[in-house]
Amino acid sequence: MITREIYNDPTSVDTQSRTHEHGWAVESSHSTSMGRVLYVLCDACGARRVDLQHHTQVPPAALSKDLI
Ligand SMILES: [Zn+2]
């Protein structure tokens, strides 16, 4: 079974390349000593990003810039 997580991140603002609020879907993830690393994709524009989630009760934060 494949589980997809989708979330919006209003802190993800790239004023030069962004024309909409990305809706991030988790493509894959793995656990590290710092937390869970998420590889996310915006289905609308194809942008990708790497996020880090320190705790399951805390929203992920961007580790990389949006890659379009
Ligand atoms: Zn997008």
Side-chain angles (χ1 to χ4, degrees), residues 20 22 42 45:
H20 67 275
H22 297 298
C42 175
C45 71

Side-chain angles (χ1 to χ4, degrees), residues 17-24 41-48 66 68:
S17 60
R18 187 177 149 208
T19 58
H20 67 275
E21 185 171 316
H22 297 298
W24 299 112
L41 167 71
C42 175
D43 285 334
C45 71
R48 294 179 187 276
D66 301 352
I68 298 178

Side-chain angles (χ1 to χ4, degrees), residues 6-27:
I6 298 175
Y7 59 95
N8 292 321
D9 182 3
T11 64
S12 172
V13 177
D14 181 350
T15 56
Q16 292 183 348
S17 60
R18 187 177 149 208
T19 58
H20 67 275
E21 185 171 316
H22 297 298
W24 299 112
V26 178
E27 287 193 304

Side-chain angles (χ1 to χ4, degrees), residues 49-60:
R49 198 176 72 184
V50 179
D51 290 358
L52 177 64
Q53 187 174 28
H54 291 285
H55 188 274
T56 56
Q57 300 299 316
V58 178

